[in-house]
Amino acid sequence: MILMVLVMLSVSRKLNTKLKKFIASSYWYLSIVLPYSYVLITYYFTFSNPVMVKLDQALSGRLALGKEGFDKYGITLLGKRVIERGWGGSDGLHMMKNNPGKYFFIDSSFVRLLVINGLILGIIALLILVGISLRETVKHEYLLPAILFLVVSSSLIDQHMLEITYNPFMLAFLSCVPQTISGGLKNGKVKENNYW
């Protein structure tokens, strides 16, 4: 929530500074750097590195689980079926009580993209996401890149990126709808439309 407030302040039209524009214009490339860094750290995670272990603890074991996914299933071009065991449902409750060591769930959306959906889909999804952000940044429109940056940041540690409520591609598509429906502005006044 704190990150969301800070990011939204950086794209607020009320704060018109060079630093704000610099920060707002960096969201498109941070949407590449953060997932790439997270995937690398996960791929090379080892319990022999105390810094990585502390980071894994701070992330509730997500690095170790992602590393297990890479080791067990690898990265393929088109993805593969991955058997996950979470705490959901009656089976999850039974497992939690009797055998919690069987828990295996990949929380990071980006690790999931690579392991479950494959390298091709992972790269395509990232390129589209960054392309949308870059296109808006070039037009000096920073709100959508900021929202996509928040989705990317959240998706580092949760599996929801491709779900309908979080889906950045759906967000990008729907962000164009109000401009079309409202008719936009003309000479500082809202243009009338006959859509309704």
Side-chain angles (χ1 to χ4, degrees):
M1 293 304 290
I2 293 170
L3 179 63
M4 185 170 71
V5 169
L6 294 174
V7 167
M8 289 300 113
L9 278 175
S10 73
V11 296
S12 167
R13 296 196 185 276
K14 293 176 183 175
L15 299 174
N16 196 8
T17 65
K18 287 183 180 180
L19 177 62
K20 182 199 86 162
K21 282 192 175 183
F22 172 76
I23 292 170
S25 65
S26 67
Y27 293 137
W28 75 268
Y29 67 81
L30 286 174
S31 295
I32 299 173
V33 172
L34 290 178
Y36 180 74
S37 301
Y38 187 89
V39 167
L40 276 182
I41 290 168
T42 304
Y43 190 81
Y44 291 108
F45 174 79
T46 175
F47 283 104
S48 63
N49 185 323
V51 175
M52 285 187 164
V53 170
K54 288 284 186 195
L55 183 59
D56 184 51
Q57 289 170 348
L59 295 171
S60 305
R62 284 173 170 87
L63 294 179
L65 291 168
K67 174 66 172 169
E68 184 180 342
F70 282 133
D71 291 345
K72 203 185 260 187
Y73 297 99
I75 301 172
T76 61
L77 288 177
L78 300 174
K80 60 171 58 172
R81 184 171 181 264
V82 173
I83 298 169
E84 295 179 290
R85 292 182 179 90
W87 300 132
S90 59
D91 289 341
L93 181 63
H94 180 74
M95 183 181 70
M96 183 173 63
K97 289 179 179 177
N98 300 313
N99 193 0
K102 284 179 70 177
Y103 179 88
F104 171 68
F105 193 84
I106 301 172
D107 280 312
S108 171
S109 293
F110 296 103
V111 175
R112 291 180 76 78
L113 266 172
L114 292 174
V115 174
I116 297 173
N117 302 109
L119 186 63
I120 293 173
L121 186 62
I123 290 173
I124 289 171
L126 192 61
L127 287 176
I128 293 171
L129 192 141
V130 171
I132 293 166
S133 290
L134 183 58
R135 181 195 69 201
E136 295 299 307
T137 301
V138 167
K139 294 191 293 189
H140 302 288
E141 296 291 335
Y142 302 114
L143 182 59
L144 183 57
I147 292 169
L148 293 178
F149 169 72
L150 289 169
V151 170
V152 165
S153 299
S154 175
S155 297
L156 295 175
I157 58 171
D158 70 38
Q159 76 278 9
H160 300 298
M161 187 173 86
L162 295 182
E163 292 177 12
I164 193 73
T165 52
Y166 291 83
N167 192 310
F169 311 110
M170 189 63 72
L171 287 172
F173 170 72
L174 292 175
S175 71
C176 300
V177 173
Q179 295 171 3
T180 307
I181 292 174
S182 70
L185 292 174
K186 184 175 184 180
N187 300 326
K189 296 181 180 177
V190 177
K191 288 191 284 185
E192 296 208 13
N193 60 52
N194 297 317
Y195 295 112
W196 309 108

